[in-house]
Every structure is written in structure tokens, then in C-alpha cells.
Amino acid sequence: MKEALLCVDLQNDFYEDGALPVEGASEINFQVNKLLHSGDFAAVTASQDWHPPGHKSFASSHGEKPFTPYEGDSEGLGQVLWPDHCVQNSEGAEFHPEISTEYFDLIIRKGQLPEVDSYSAFRDNDGRELGLAGYFKDLVIGKILVVGLALDVCVFYTVQDALKYGFEVELIRSATKGVEAQPGDIAAALEKMEDKGAVIRE
Ligand code: VGL
Ligand code: ZN
């Protein structure tokens, strides 16, 4: 079976000095690069969170503090408001300088609509396809190895969508870290992904 690697949101803003920092994020770079250098994959893909300034998922757009709960699901937004992050063309939106991005065959930029968020690399929160599933199907990819940030947000939604589209999914635990916006988010995300059929590999 042909395998693909999918690197979720390995961008400066999700690393320790970024706007929406994930604790220990830089510790995954070694594992991610090992996979990138392996030559094991029929396709190497990456998602890049890519918001216009004033995006509706930003707390600042509502005059609220970051991590305020937000009842915006019907508008394709998540459950909390985020600090401004991954603004298009900003340094925070760039891939981390340690990541071997020269191996990326395809980069999907998501979260570009001002009023809709996109946690999954496959589709916006309101269901609009971003093209990744078709790309994998065309290449007859059967299994996707997922790595990246953040485990309990974009990785979580990406893995569930990959399963929904019928791919086998392996999450590489040593190559992902979570934000834990609410305590227990990481454990809950891992359990749910496993329940739905993802293999969690060390
Ligand atoms: C992400 C929150 C907001 C992520 C993106 O990449 O996990 N989290 N935007
Ligand atoms: Zn975002």
C-alpha cells in the first residue's frame, strides 16, 4: 500500500516563541525530519494555517481575551477564540526554520476565508474541501502518517477526516505535541482518534 506523510502546521507561531505556543514543540523536529529524510513516502504533504488579518477566529476580532469559549460552530469556527496567529505572509506563519521543507511535494494553505476556520487539513470547519483528499486518491495513497501541531486541535481534526475519507491513519506520537487549551484535551484527543481507528505509534 502506498503511504503519504502529512505534516500539520509546523509553523513558527505554534512553537515556543510563537503567538500560540505549544509546549515542547521544537522537541518534535528531529522525529519529523527523520521521516522527511526517509524517502519512504509516495507523497509528502504539509498544511499551513494561513489567516487574513482580523480573522474571525482571533479573540482580538471580538474584543475578547484569547482562549475565551466561543459558540461559533454554525459559522464554521471552533470552540475557543485564539490569539492572532499565522497571519498571511507574517514570520509566524512561516514553517519552522529547522524543518526540512524542501521535501514537501504539496502545501495546503487553510483558514483563508475571513469568517471560517479550518482545523482539518482536508476541509474548512464548514465542510468546504481543500483538495488534499483528491490529491491522495489520485495517487492511490492507502495510508497516511500524520505528524505536527497541535495534537488536540488541527492534528485531531485532520486525523478524523483522513479516517472519514477511508485512509488508514498512523499518528506518530513522538512527532506531535498539544496545546491543551482546556486541561485533559490531549488525553481526550488521543483516545477519540484511537477509538475511530487511528493507530497511535511511538
Ligand atoms: C491550530 C488553533 C488555531 C492548529 C490552528 O494548528 O492546531 N490551532 N489554528
Ligand atoms: Zn488558526
Side-chain angles (χ1 to χ4, degrees):
M1 192 187 332
K2 290 218 271 180
E3 296 185 8
L5 181 66
L6 172 51
C7 302
V8 177
D9 298 2
L10 294 167
Q11 297 166 259
N12 289 327
D13 270 341
F14 299 119
Y15 281 82
E16 287 87 340
D17 297 329
L20 209 175
V22 175
E23 214 184 302
S26 57
E27 292 163 25
I28 74 171
N29 289 354
F30 178 78
Q31 291 299 334
V32 172
N33 281 331
K34 215 162 103 180
L35 290 162
L36 285 168
H37 298 168
S38 69
D40 286 349
F41 303 100
V44 175
T45 60
S47 64
Q48 191 173 24
D49 214 31
W50 195 252
H51 299 308
H55 191 260
K56 223 170 164 186
S57 74
F58 297 169
S60 63
S61 305
H62 305 262
E64 297 278 3
K65 288 205 196 89
F67 303 104
T68 304
Y70 185 67
E71 306 295 327
D73 263 336
S74 59
E75 297 158 70
L77 291 160
Q79 270 113 38
V80 297
L81 293 168
W82 303 107
D84 291 26
H85 65 279
C86 298
V87 173
Q88 295 172 359
N89 303 303
S90 69
E91 199 187 328
E94 282 172 24
F95 293 113
H96 191 276
E98 282 171 22
I99 297 295
S100 300
T101 55
E102 67 273 21
Y103 291 95
F104 294 164
D105 299 312
L106 176 77
I107 297 167
I108 295 283
R109 288 180 164 170
K110 63 186 181 62
Q112 298 196 55
L113 293 178
E115 316 250 309
V116 182
D117 212 351
S118 184
Y119 288 165
S120 164
F122 289 92
R123 40 188 201 133
D124 282 349
N125 292 3
D126 69 0
R128 193 180 60 103
E129 298 254 1
L130 297 171
L132 190 56
Y135 177 79
F136 287 146
K137 296 279 181 200
D138 284 350
L139 292 173
V140 205
I141 299 294
K143 185 194 282 188
I144 304 170
L145 266 68
V146 180
V147 302
L149 305 169
L151 189 158
D152 47 348
V153 189
C154 290
V155 169
F156 177 57
Y157 286 93
T158 297
V159 163
Q160 291 181 86
D161 268 352
L163 292 165
K164 247 181 243 166
Y165 284 107
F167 300 107
E168 287 184 30
V169 179
E170 274 185 29
L171 177 70
I172 312 302
R173 184 64 186 91
S174 55
T176 178
K177 294 270 185 191
V179 264
E180 192 111 311
Q182 323 272 350
D185 278 358
I186 292 175
L190 284 167
E191 197 180 316
K192 195 158 177 195
M193 288 186 279
E194 211 165 16
D195 278 356
K196 293 200 167 172
V199 171
I200 316 287
R201 198 171 97 187
E202 259 320 294

